Amino acid sequence: MNTLEPTWKVSKNEILRNFSFLQSEFGFPKFKKKWIKDEYSITTKKADIEFSCTIFKFDSSAPSIGIINHSELVDFRHEIYPTNFYRIHNLDETGGLKMMAENGRDFVEIYISECADLLKNKPNILNGITSDFKKNKKL
């Protein structure tokens, strides 16, 4: 990673490049991008499935990349995110991506690329089938 370029800018470019398959292969609409305070949000939604990414401007951690299944019941008392939000790195059975997310800046390009590959290899998730997340819940 270019050490002179801010982590959020690198993350934004990597997200748009690595997850472009959502439009080309799965027919999701163009990404919506917006700033909300110090967070940059990139989203796209098709039917009840929403791809959601939040990049924190002043934090060197990896972006929060996940799928929201709007057809599921939501329990907002669950940690930080609602229960229908599934972090892509939880598909990684080794737990390595979760460790990368915690180290953020050093691995941001690899982290984003690996998350994109995980989602590409499990297209059933884009149809609302989240059982792969539930079996890896321990991570």
Side-chain angles (χ1 to χ4, degrees), residues 66-81:
I67 294 293
I68 301 169
N69 186 344
H70 291 282
S71 68
E72 293 182 356
L73 295 175
V74 179
D75 178 5
F76 284 101
R77 295 173 289 153
H78 181 267
E79 298 182 21
I80 297 172
Y81 296 98

Side-chain angles (χ1 to χ4, degrees), residues 98-116:
K98 188 172 183 177
M99 289 181 0
M100 275 189 209
E102 294 164 359
N103 292 317
R105 183 173 177 82
D106 297 332
F107 302 103
V108 71
E109 290 109 331
I110 297 167
Y111 175 78
I112 292 169
S113 173
E114 291 292 319
C115 283

Side-chain angles (χ1 to χ4, degrees), residues 34-92:
K34 65 182 175 184
W35 279 103
I36 303 170
K37 296 187 180 185
D38 296 333
E39 299 175 356
Y40 190 73
S41 172
I42 301 172
T43 62
T44 183
K45 183 178 177 186
K46 180 179 174 186
D48 286 332
I49 301 300
E50 179 179 356
F51 169 81
S52 174
C53 175
T54 304
I55 303 167
F56 306 98
K57 184 173 184 180
F58 297 112
D59 189 350
S60 62
S61 65
S64 172
I65 304 170
I67 294 293
I68 301 169
N69 186 344
H70 291 282
S71 68
E72 293 182 356
L73 295 175
V74 179
D75 178 5
F76 284 101
R77 295 173 289 153
H78 181 267
E79 298 182 21
I80 297 172
Y81 296 98
T83 52
N84 67 339
F85 177 80
Y86 299 94
R87 288 177 163 265
I88 301 299
H89 71 228
N90 286 337
L91 292 171
D92 175 32

